[in-house]
Amino acid sequence: LKALQNVVTGVDWIKSRYYKGPYKVLDYEAALELRDKLGHKAFVSKYEKVQYLQDDVIAFQDQAWGDGKVLKNYCCKPGKSVDTYRSGFKNHVLVSLRGARKTGDIDEFHISWEIRNGFLRKTGYWATEVSHYTEKIKMRVIFPKERPPISASLFEKNQQKTTAPSGTSINQLPGGRQEIAWEKAKPKLFEQYVLQWKW
């Protein structure tokens, strides 16, 4: 098993050394707001600032995670969602940019959607995958006043490592709600970071 993990790590290193992609991410923030204590209603908002690394880019790919009915009332500005498909726990969204971007151009995406019946268990998770070179990343999970988090951890899928998340804080918000916030500068390319919690 250890040898297999070393092979996977080596493949990731080779991919990260030579992978360029159509754009890099200058800033990424994602917030999951759990809007009721039973986990029936949730709202996702994301901000993603990207700089294009090649000419004639006409589409942007978004990702959505979770159980239940995901991507309800999906909205992305700029752009328009033209296709979606699901692979495992991950949903992919193809966003048409409605025009070609050139090398050096920058877009700031404001994205949101709703989730129905996605957080019905005593444990939950909120994940993101670093698919492009990324300067910094921040994830937040906001809990209802009636059901604050009991504990939280960070799972790094490629490393198969679970830790008390470094760079994490639990903050008190107006109205008695709490949030778990995690951020990291220069996250590892192709890594999946998963915030896990009990509530």
Side-chain angles (χ1 to χ4, degrees), residues 34-144:
L34 304 171
R35 291 187 163 176
D36 69 278
K37 65 180 182 180
L38 298 179
H40 291 299
K41 297 179 181 179
F43 182 79
V44 175
S45 59
K46 295 204 307 185
Y47 167 76
E48 193 162 354
K49 183 177 182 179
V50 308
Q51 183 175 37
Y52 298 95
L53 302 176
Q54 61 189 52
D55 293 338
D56 300 318
V57 178
I58 61 172
F60 169 80
Q61 181 175 268
D62 194 14
Q63 300 174 357
W65 303 77
D67 299 322
K69 294 182 179 179
V70 185
L71 298 175
K72 185 176 177 62
N73 297 321
Y74 181 91
C75 179
C76 179
K77 296 180 180 180
K80 180 179 176 59
S81 171
V82 294
D83 190 25
T84 62
Y85 69 94
R86 186 174 178 93
S87 176
F89 290 105
K90 184 165 55 175
N91 297 271
H92 299 268
V93 183
L94 181 64
V95 176
S96 169
L97 297 176
R98 298 306 210 215
R101 303 300 192 262
K102 297 179 181 179
T103 302
D105 285 351
I106 291 176
D107 269 327
E108 296 186 52
F109 292 98
H110 297 269
I111 302 167
S112 64
W113 70 85
E114 299 172 30
I115 301 174
R116 292 287 185 266
N117 300 321
F119 301 92
L120 306 180
R121 303 175 184 176
K122 294 181 180 180
T123 58
Y125 75 94
W126 182 237
T128 190
E129 182 176 76
V130 182
S131 303
H132 303 273
Y133 286 115
T134 301
E135 292 294 324
K136 58 180 179 177
I137 186 172
K138 183 175 183 178
M139 298 170 63
R140 301 166 59 223
V141 181
I142 303 168
F143 294 83

